[in-house]
Amino acid sequence: MELPRSFGILLHPTSLPGPWVCGVLGKEARAFLDWLREAGAGFWQVLPLGPTGFGDSPYQSFSAFAGNPYLIDPEDLIRRGWLAEEEPPKIPQERVDYGFLYRWKWDLLRRAFQGFLRRGDPEERREFSRFWEKEKEWLWDYALFMALKDRFGGRPWNEWPPEFRHRKASVLVDFEEDENVLFHAWTQWIFFRQWQEIRNCAHKQGIKIIGDIPIFVAYDSADVWAHPELFELDSEGRPTVVAGVPPDYFSPTGQRWGNPLYRWPVHEAEGFRWWIARVRQTLRLFDVLRIDHFRGFAAYWEIPAEEPTAVRGRWVPAPGEKLFQTMLRELGELPILAEDLGVITPDVEELRDKFGFPGMRVLQFAFDGKPDNPHLPENFPEHGRVVVYPGTHDNDTALGWYRTVSEEVRTRVQQYLSAQGIIASKEEDIPWALISLAFRSRAVLAVIPMQDVLGLGSEARLNYPSRAEGNWTWRLLSKPKPAQRLAELARETHRLARTFGDVANKHGQVYTG
């Protein structure tokens, strides 16, 4: 995949401002796209958009195919006449309160659904019916899964009665006309309609959207419940081994994610059918796709399910080359970015380069004093086929990072910036200094977290890896700084966005009716 020299901003939609408890796919999202255009950005990067559950992580979704109903814009439902005028809740807006959001948003959506049933016009009903029929291969499993979670008090599927846990056909047939199943399917129709409107708006502004696909899926998901044969589970549906990473920069005991691992021989025997469907669906939402934990397609860290940490694991080879070859045959050119951070071995690099996937570099990792550090800009590959970040969603903000590193690292940072002609005389200059360093590098694409554009500290950090709760809550409250400074830097470093079409997504749009 060839990318134009450009830059983008990383901001997950839940972090958008607005009165609706979390960011939604409405006027604030369009205003953000206007700001991106004024800044000369070519890309908007988001995190996974699937429906989230306990822990609120976009990387632990109830479905690898569905969208997050939390992002549905209530104003659209009001305009359509399905919902009466609704006052936004009177709660603090500084952080996303997911507990309140869960209670409030699902009640609002159910009221809107009843309004649709009573007042939806015939064409709207036909559009929903067409969506339901066209997307039923994944939508039935998701809607049924969510309806059963409602029925059993939100408990994970492995705690449901055996006949539901094991999908006994004579029991599930009773739900084919169930109104709650229809409700959850309806939320998906609304989500995909609204997302497509935002994506079309981005395209009109000349902005491409970078999406994110986690390599693994959540255990408590429609995917594992509906396809247990594709995952390393025992006869009772319990994981025998789980995913994670060994001890690293973020944790001395590694990260035990807990996701079930794939039963790769079964996937291969089926021609990777589930993976093809998953990637096809995701590429209907985004113009470019960032695959999280790319190294897991070469080899993954397998942890026995009974182990409390990731220390006692082992590397197991994965059939990444066969998988991507099959994707190329079935899907054509793959506009994929490889998140190749962590323990990167020659086989990972070979797999990435064989398919021409750009990798990642993170400036916060560059200052360990080693001259061959791959995150130093002078060590980026000559062809420049990498994406550079000051930090990712898993890092502290640039300012928060600089405030907490050792004096030795701070000295290295200052010396390096000075050698590049970048002045950072005080702490508050560091975010812009790293932005400048990223823009000046040979990396084809520079992606900047919105928190760094705003110069925010650790209070604005989005995620602490290996911390189970309290993540993903930051919201953009203040008006973004004027876009002119970014546009001027982009012009100086030849990163102003070109006409839309440099990266063409040939996989079509999600069906909306």
Side-chain angles (χ1 to χ4, degrees), residues 228-243:
E229 73 282 358
L230 298 179
F231 301 89
E232 294 288 359
L233 310 177
D234 65 18
S235 60
E236 292 300 313
R238 296 180 296 249
T240 56
V241 288
V242 296

Side-chain angles (χ1 to χ4, degrees), residues 312-457:
R312 296 181 183 274
R314 64 172 186 143
W315 290 112
V316 179
E321 183 173 349
K322 291 180 181 179
L323 172 62
F324 291 120
Q325 289 284 16
T326 305
M327 285 185 190
L328 279 171
R329 287 197 302 271
E330 295 289 330
L331 303 174
E333 182 184 7
L334 300 174
I336 284 175
L337 307 178
E339 187 273 286
D340 55 348
L341 305 176
V343 182
I344 301 304
T345 48
D347 59 332
V348 181
E349 296 174 343
E350 182 180 349
L351 180 64
R352 177 199 64 205
D353 295 343
K354 180 179 181 65
F355 293 94
F357 300 151
M360 286 176 54
R361 299 292 185 271
V362 179
L363 295 179
Q364 288 185 26
F365 297 157
F367 303 103
D368 62 0
K370 299 177 181 177
D372 61 346
N373 185 310
H375 299 281
L376 285 170
E378 63 265 27
N379 294 330
F380 293 0
E382 290 292 335
H383 54 62
R385 197 166 56 235
V386 293
V387 183
V388 61
Y389 298 74
T392 74
H393 64 275
D394 282 332
N395 294 96
D396 203 343
T397 66
L399 181 58
W401 165 78
Y402 187 74
R403 284 172 169 169
T404 55
V405 296
S406 67
E407 194 61 38
E408 184 181 11
V409 172
R410 290 166 72 107
T411 299
R412 289 196 202 108
V413 172
Q414 288 292 342
Q415 290 175 343
Y416 190 88
L417 293 174
S418 179
Q420 305 301 313
I422 300 173
I423 305 302
S425 57
K426 54 185 184 296
E427 283 185 346
E428 290 73 18
D429 296 333
I430 288 296
W432 192 258
L434 293 188
I435 292 172
S436 299
L437 190 61
F439 273 51
R440 295 182 186 190
S441 75
R442 68 169 67 100
V444 66
L445 180 60
V447 176
I448 313 300
M450 193 64 186
Q451 296 94 316
D452 291 343
V453 176
L454 299 173
L456 301 177

